[in-house]
Amino acid sequence: MSQAIQISEYGGPDVLRLVDVAVGDPGPGQVRVRHHACGINFIDVYQRTGLYQNPLPLIPGGEGAGVVEAVGEGVTHLAAGDRVAYAAPKPGSYCQARLMDALHVCRLPDEIDFETGAAMMLKGLTVNYLLLRTLPVEGLAPGDTILFHAAAGGVGLIACQWAKALGFELIGTAGSDEKCALAKEYGAAHMINYRSENFVDRVKEITGGKGVKVVYDSVGKDTFEGSLNCLRPFGLMAVFGNASGAVPPFAPNTLAAKGSLYLTRPTLFTHLSTRERTQAMADELFEVVRNGTVKIRIDQRYPLAQAAQAHRDLEARRTTGCSVLLA
């Protein structure tokens, strides 16, 4: 048995309920993981509200770290007792223990603790595929300027550090002076408080009117049009989230009028489609965390039973860095 946070209907944070669930033994290609900590991400809100629909009842969450209790037939890269962490395409991490496909589960290096492992996998692998694999047609080179929205959040603070290590000049946005200062502390070259400044005007000022090569945008509806206006010709708009709501339909001719722009809506699990690629990207993430290039900042910790409060804080933008549930 395992305690878990479950929803039986879509809605606000109050639909998150603590229940007891049976776990069982792993089948072929599966493992049973006993969690020490579970990551909290905005995609979990989409699962709760039904923006991303899944069969109900549903245990949300796609990120966690713990110990393998049992492995199913055909699993060769893991064994019972292994310390592991994962980002998974199927929800189910808001619990003490779960069965899951082994494909996305990676052995966690001894130097990385469980809370860090739980907080970094989905967010760190997201930054990996954005900065290393979601690139403008002209590529990115040291000295190039990029725009990254929500730069003081869990994904954003990792991006600030990794971008600096790659030599990119990251312009970030955040909703308070305190959050702007935090992102600059973590490597952002410039920060814009979008509540007190027009981010399009500031980006043009910072870049001498040229604009940026790429915008990485997890906000969605509220920033989409402005982000397009920040791009230089042949620039790339990478929308990887919908924190303010989904981007409404628009005319493709808009991209032509603004300078032959490119638009993509990438997802992490397209990149993690094979065991080999999952491990390769995880190894790249583990290396930058182990060598200190990227530090995983965890500012919010909640008991599993307080998942609803965690969602309230996340949606109210009261959080910085990463948040975890302690199982």
Side-chain angles (χ1 to χ4, degrees), residues 9-284:
E9 60 182 332
Y10 298 123
D14 290 343
V15 303
L16 297 165
R17 305 287 175 80
L18 186 67
V19 300
D20 292 321
V21 296
V23 181
D25 296 321
Q30 290 186 320
V31 292
R32 187 173 70 234
V33 176
R34 177 70 56 173
H35 289 136
H36 283 242
C38 314
I40 302 171
N41 298 280
F42 219 96
I43 191 174
D44 308 346
V45 174
Y46 305 155
Q47 294 165 4
R48 189 202 76 221
T49 62
L51 179 63
Y52 292 174
Q53 295 209 353
N54 293 276
L56 299 177
L58 172 72
I59 299 171
E63 183 179 44
V67 175
V68 174
E69 288 189 328
V71 301
E73 180 183 352
V75 178
T76 59
H77 70 287
L78 297 170
D82 282 348
R83 302 173 70 254
V84 294
Y86 67 84
K90 295 181 180 179
S93 69
Y94 282 20
C95 62
Q96 293 174 325
R98 71 177 294 193
L99 295 177
M100 61 182 300
D101 292 339
L103 186 154
H104 296 104
V105 182
C106 299
R107 191 177 290 112
L108 186 66
D110 291 340
E111 305 95 316
I112 301 176
D113 62 70
F114 288 119
E115 290 186 16
T116 300
M120 77 181 197
M121 292 298 285
L122 192 146
K123 290 173 278 289
L125 291 172
T126 295
V127 174
N128 179 303
Y129 88 72
L130 290 174
L131 296 185
L132 301 181
R133 292 166 169 85
T134 308
L135 304 175
V137 66
E138 295 177 333
L140 285 176
D144 283 341
T145 305
I146 66 176
L147 176 61
F148 207 102
H149 288 297
V155 173
L157 291 183
I158 296 172
C160 288
Q161 297 171 80
W162 212 331
K164 183 177 181 179
L166 292 168
F168 306 152
E169 186 173 329
L170 184 145
I171 303 171
T173 69
S176 72
D177 290 342
E178 292 77 14
K179 287 186 175 184
C180 287
L182 177 62
K184 288 201 74 171
E185 178 187 338
Y186 275 72
H190 308 273
M191 283 300 298
I192 302 166
N193 182 340
Y194 63 79
R195 297 189 189 278
S196 59
E197 301 177 281
N198 182 299
F199 75 84
V200 178
D201 292 344
R202 284 286 290 125
V203 167
K204 292 295 179 67
E205 179 184 338
I206 292 167
T207 61
K210 295 179 180 178
V212 297
K213 276 191 170 183
V214 60
V215 178
Y216 297 112
D217 189 345
S218 63
V219 178
K221 177 173 66 70
D222 289 353
T223 51
F224 181 75
E225 185 174 352
S227 294
L228 290 179
N229 292 331
C230 291
L231 288 166
R232 64 177 61 186
F234 307 111
L236 173 65
M237 177 69 182
V239 180
F240 68 100
N242 315 283
S244 66
V247 175
F250 77 104
N253 281 346
T254 302
L255 302 177
K258 293 182 182 296
S260 300
L261 304 181
Y262 292 77
L263 170 66
T264 185
R265 179 52 173 95
T267 67
L268 172 60
F269 295 105
T270 308
H271 291 272
L272 302 184
S273 58
T274 67
R275 172 81 210 116
E276 293 74 21
R277 181 171 290 193
T278 298
Q279 191 64 57
M281 290 176 62
D283 288 343
E284 291 170 350

